[in-house]
Amino acid sequence: MINRVLARSSVFQELFAYYHSESHSVEEAEDSLSEALSSIQLLYYFLLDLIPALTQLHKEQIEKNKTRFILREEDLNPNLRLAENNLSSAIDECSTITEALRNTKLSWRDNDALLKVLLEEILDSNLYENYRDSKEESFALDAKFWAEALQKLTFKNRLLDDYLSDLSIYWNDPTAVLEKVEIEEIPSVDKLDEMMDDLRLEDSYQTVRMSNSPVEVQKDFVIKTLRKARKVDDIASVLIPMFKDKEDEDFTYQLLRSSIVHSEQYLELIDEALQNWDSERLADSDIILLQMGLAELFTFPSVTAAVTLNEYIELGKTFSTSKSGSFINGLLDSILQKLRDEGKIRK
């Protein structure tokens, strides 16, 4: 569930931490990256575990309704379609998921108020009504229902995003929302908070959902997993591994190592391309992204130059200023042309 877009974002975050810490050990940076990627895998399992949590709450509500002073027909003869759905049981009994979550503090039942909101949203939907009244009964239908319920309802719920954001310590800043402010001078933290409050009051502030954040990427992978599920004993076999293959895993760690080990070489190329522009005036994030771009151009001959340039344009837009994308594109393209002319890169 670590695609290359997420791999680049994770490497950028580790490099940013590396250059802003007292430690400058490549091995420590690699260990930190490993922890971050493992925590993203944990997020994937945690999102899948939301299905049994919602199902269990639904069962409890059915039992509680049976104790009403005045019983309704639906209390006496409740529809058990959702309460007995096979997908929930399969996930709950999947050892891969349960073992991964066992020794963590992550539990959906720590926030029953959120679960009640998410469950009510599902139960009030036409999607649930059609599922509840369907004559067909199959594991595939259960999986299809949950895939659509999560995609169309639950995963779009802002309260869920807020909850996951509060838990972001577990997956290395996987917030689904990016807050970005461009200013002439860097103010104090207190002053920045005051500025942000003023902008909110003026309705001049907005948040932008990061489609390539760990949370959003793992939501997509959960949906893909559910769409592959066909039978009860099939859950473990359709779980998505951390990396698609060894090549993607090597790409992630080699990108980090190359960016650090050859940083002096890359900085020299950047300084030359800047000409009369002082590199010290560049944002730290721009310099790191340029180093990563050069590391990718040098280290991975199978990745086309066009792909690399496009990826770092988008990363610049996400992690730096609004002008960073075009700036990074222009500078990397200039360096690439020079390297091609000198025969140092052939792609």
Side-chain angles (χ1 to χ4, degrees):
M1 74 284 296
I2 308 294
N3 57 23
R4 292 202 176 184
V5 173
L6 188 50
R8 291 184 181 94
S9 297
S10 299
V11 169
F12 168 80
Q13 292 179 8
E14 290 304 323
L15 287 172
F16 195 89
Y18 172 84
Y19 287 117
H20 289 81
S21 67
E22 296 180 358
S23 172
H24 289 288
S25 162
V26 178
E27 289 72 22
E28 287 183 16
E30 289 176 329
D31 289 343
S32 180
L33 178 60
S34 294
E35 290 179 12
L37 298 178
S38 295
S39 64
I40 293 174
Q41 184 178 46
L42 190 65
L43 169 61
Y44 168 69
Y45 293 143
F46 188 51
L47 287 172
L48 281 168
D49 195 52
L50 178 57
I51 293 173
L54 289 170
T55 301
Q56 181 59 35
L57 178 61
H58 183 48
K59 290 179 181 178
E60 293 171 6
Q61 289 182 345
I62 289 174
E63 292 303 312
K64 184 177 180 180
N65 289 342
K66 292 178 180 179
T67 65
R68 290 175 182 267
F69 183 72
I70 299 178
L71 293 172
R72 303 166 299 177
E73 174 60 27
E74 57 264 36
D75 299 328
L76 293 170
N77 297 292
N79 187 298
L80 300 178
R81 184 64 176 272
L82 184 61
E84 297 178 350
N85 78 89
N86 291 316
L87 177 69
S88 173
S89 301
I91 293 175
D92 204 30
E93 295 169 4
C94 178
S95 59
T96 303
I97 297 174
T98 55
E99 288 300 321
L101 296 174
R102 187 185 306 280
N103 296 322
T104 74
K105 295 180 180 179
L106 294 172
S107 172
W108 291 107
R109 297 315 298 265
D110 288 342
N111 196 338
D112 271 5
L114 171 64
L115 289 181
K116 289 176 182 177
V117 171
L118 300 178
L119 179 59
E120 183 177 355
E121 185 176 43
I122 292 173
L123 297 178
D124 287 343
S125 69
N126 291 330
L127 180 65
Y128 168 70
E129 184 177 345
N130 293 334
Y131 169 69
R132 179 196 63 195
D133 298 337
S134 174
K135 301 299 181 184
E136 178 187 351
E137 292 188 14
S138 67
F139 181 82
L141 183 64
D142 291 344
K144 179 183 178 183
F145 164 75
W146 277 112
E148 292 181 355
L150 294 183
Q151 182 179 41
K152 296 178 180 179
L153 301 170
T154 308
F155 283 171
K156 292 183 178 180
N157 190 291
R158 282 294 179 183
L159 293 177
L160 176 64
D161 285 344
D162 291 343
Y163 178 65
L164 293 173
S165 179
D166 289 342
L167 292 175
S168 63
I169 187 174
Y170 288 102
W171 32 85
N172 193 32
D173 192 27
T175 51
V177 169
L178 174 69
E179 296 179 295
K180 184 186 297 183
V181 180
E182 294 183 25
I183 50 181
E184 293 294 329
E185 297 181 1
I186 300 175
S188 65
V189 173
D190 292 339
K191 183 65 176 177
L192 182 59
D193 287 339
E194 182 181 329
M195 289 170 56
M196 297 294 289
D197 289 338
D198 289 342
L199 287 170
R200 290 187 181 96
L201 289 173
E202 295 170 5
D203 200 24
S204 300
Y205 166 86
Q206 64 178 353
T207 57
V208 180
R209 180 177 290 271
M210 292 175 60
S211 61
N212 62 344
S213 74
V215 166
E216 296 305 312
V217 171
Q218 297 318 305
K219 285 178 181 178
D220 288 342
F221 279 126
V222 166
I223 301 302
K224 290 177 181 178
T225 299
L226 298 181
R227 286 176 175 163
K228 289 181 180 179
R230 291 290 179 269
K231 51 186 179 180
V232 176
D233 58 354
D234 195 38
I235 288 297
S237 67
V238 298
L239 291 177
I240 298 174
M242 182 181 292
F243 293 100
K244 180 182 69 175
D245 50 36
K246 187 68 165 56
E247 184 178 350
D248 275 4
E249 182 177 4
D250 290 343
F251 171 86
T252 305
Y253 288 96
Q254 286 177 20
L255 179 60
L256 176 71
R257 176 169 282 272
S258 179
S259 297
I260 295 174
V261 172
H262 302 293
S263 61
E264 290 186 8
Q265 173 192 350
Y266 301 149
L267 287 173
E268 286 180 9
L269 290 170
I270 293 168
D271 281 337
E272 291 175 10
L274 286 171
Q275 296 179 349
N276 296 326
W277 186 270
D278 184 358
S279 62
E280 291 185 1
R281 294 175 59 191
L282 292 181
D284 289 352
S285 53
D286 287 348
I287 294 176
I288 292 172
L289 289 171
L290 287 167
Q291 287 181 229
M292 288 177 61
L294 290 172
E296 190 164 319
L297 288 171
F298 274 108
T299 311
F300 306 102
S302 62
V303 180
T304 66
V307 167
T308 296
L309 265 61
N310 286 335
E311 289 296 335
Y312 288 94
I313 290 172
E314 294 306 314
L315 286 171
K317 293 176 183 177
T318 299
F319 290 111
S320 196
T321 69
S322 58
K323 298 178 182 178
S324 290
S326 58
F327 171 74
I328 289 170
N329 177 52
L331 204 63
L332 281 179
D333 187 58
S334 174
I335 296 172
L336 177 61
Q337 293 304 323
K338 179 177 181 293
L339 293 171
R340 282 171 171 165
D341 292 342
E342 295 173 351
K344 295 179 179 178
I345 285 184
R346 300 182 182 280
K347 65 176 179 178

